[in-house]
C-alpha cells in the first residue's frame, strides 16, 4: 500500500460525527439568521477539523496504529477546535443560545484546571488504555476533551467581552502557565518507555497499513512514543504562545492604550 492509497481509502464517515457536524452548522445558521460574517470562517474551520479528527485517515491511524496520531487528534479536540468554535461564534448569537445564569466560566483557576486536567488525566496510561478498550469510554473521552477545551479557552476567547480576562497581564499569565504545564506533560510522555500505552485496536489492523507505517514511513514503536510526547511539548506550546501574541496585540489595540486620535496614550 502506498501513502496515497491509504490517504484516499481510510476515510470513515461515521453517522454520529456527520450528524453532529451538520447539527452544529444548522444551529449556527439559525442563531445568526443567515447573516454570516468573517467569524463564520473560524467556525467552519472548526467543523472541518472536527471531521479531520474523527473521520479522516488521522482517525484511522490514531485508533489502530500510532500513539502519535492519537495525540495529534487529542490536540485538535482540546486546543484547536474549541478555540475556533469560540472565535467563530458572534456575541449576539452566544447571548441567544446560552442561558445567562449558566455563564460562570470567568473563574480562571477553575477553567485552567479543567483544561489542563483533561489533558493530564486522559494520558494516564491506565485511563488511556481503558478508553482504547471501550468504545463508550472512548466517545466520552472525545466529548470531555472538547468540553474541557471550550471551558479552558472561555476566559480568553469568549464571544462575550465581559467574560474575558484582561489581555495583559491576566490572559498572558493564564496562557503561559498552561504552556508550562503542557511542557511538563509532553516531557513525561516523550521519555516514557515504549509499550506503556497500548496501541489501539490491534485486532483491526491491516498488515499493509502497518507495513506502510513501520517500513514506508520508518516509524518504530519507540519513535512513535517520542513523537507523541514532542507533539504535546512543542506544537502544543506554540499554540499557547500564538495566543499570547494575540493577547499582546489585543492589548495594544485596546482603547486603554490607544487614544481616539490613533496615538499611543
Amino acid at each position: 500500500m502506498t501513502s496515497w492509497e491509504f490517504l484516499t481509502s481510510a476515510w470513515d464517515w461515521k453517522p454520529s460525527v456527520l450528524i453532529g457536524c451538520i447539527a452544529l452548522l444548522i444551529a449556527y445558521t439559525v442563531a445568526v439568521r443567515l447573516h454570516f460574517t468573517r467569524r463564520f470562517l473560524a467556525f467552519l474551520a472548526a467543523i472541518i477539523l472536527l471531521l479531520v479528527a474523527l473521520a479522516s485517515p488521522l482517525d484511522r491511524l490514531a485508533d489502530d496504529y500510532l500513539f502519535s496520531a492519537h495525540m495529534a487528534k487529542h490536540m485538535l479536540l482540546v486546543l484547536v477546535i474549541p478555540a475556533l468554535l469560540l472565535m467563530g461564534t458572534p456575541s449576539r448569537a452566544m447571548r441567544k443560545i446560552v442561558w445567562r445564569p449558566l455563564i460562570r466560566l470567568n473563574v480562571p483557576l477553575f477553567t485552567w484546571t479543567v483544561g489542563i486536567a483533561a489533558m493530564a488525566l486522559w494520558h494516564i496510561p491506565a485511563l488511556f488504555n481503558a478508553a482504547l478498550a471501550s468504545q463508550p469510554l472512548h466517545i466520552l473521552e472525545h466529548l470531555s476533551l472538547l468540553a474541557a477545551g471550550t471551558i479552558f479557552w472561555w476566559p480568553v476567547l469568549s464571544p462575550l467581552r465581559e467574560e474575558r480576562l484582561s489581555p495583559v497581564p491576566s490572559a498572558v499569565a493564564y496562557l503561559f502557565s498552561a504552556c508550562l504545564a503542557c511542557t511538563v506533560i509532553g516531557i513525561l510522555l516523550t521519555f516514557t518507555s515504549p509499550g506503556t500505552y497500548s496501541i489501539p485496536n490491534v485486532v483491526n489492523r491491516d498488515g499493509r497499513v502497518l507495513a506502510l507505517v513501520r517500513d514506508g514511513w520508518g516509524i518504530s514503536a519507540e519513535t512513535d512514543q517520542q513523537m507523541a510526547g514532542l507533539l504535546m511539548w512543542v506544537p502544543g506550546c506554540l499554540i499557547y504562545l500564538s495566543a499570547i501574541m494575540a493577547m499582546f496585540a489585543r492589548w495594544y489595540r485596546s482603547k486603554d492604550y490607544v487614544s481616539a486620535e490613533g496615538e499611543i496614550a
Side-chain angles (χ1 to χ4, degrees), residues 1 42 67 83 130 246:
M1 176 176 284
F67 179 37

Side-chain angles (χ1 to χ4, degrees), residues 10 53 91 107 114 132 180-181 206 210 226 229 231 237 239 250 264:
S91 59
V107 181
V114 168
L132 294 177
L180 293 179
D206 184 329
L210 185 60
Q226 293 171 347
L231 277 171
C237 280
I239 293 172
R250 180 187 290 177
I264 297 177

Side-chain angles (χ1 to χ4, degrees), residues 112 116 119-120 176-192 229 232-234 237 240:
W112 188 97
I116 300 303
M119 286 194 293
F176 184 71
S177 59
C179 179
L180 293 179
C182 187
T183 297
V184 172
I185 298 172
I187 290 172
L188 291 175
L189 290 173
T190 300
F191 295 103
T192 297
M232 180 174 284
W233 185 353
V234 181
C237 280
Y240 293 119

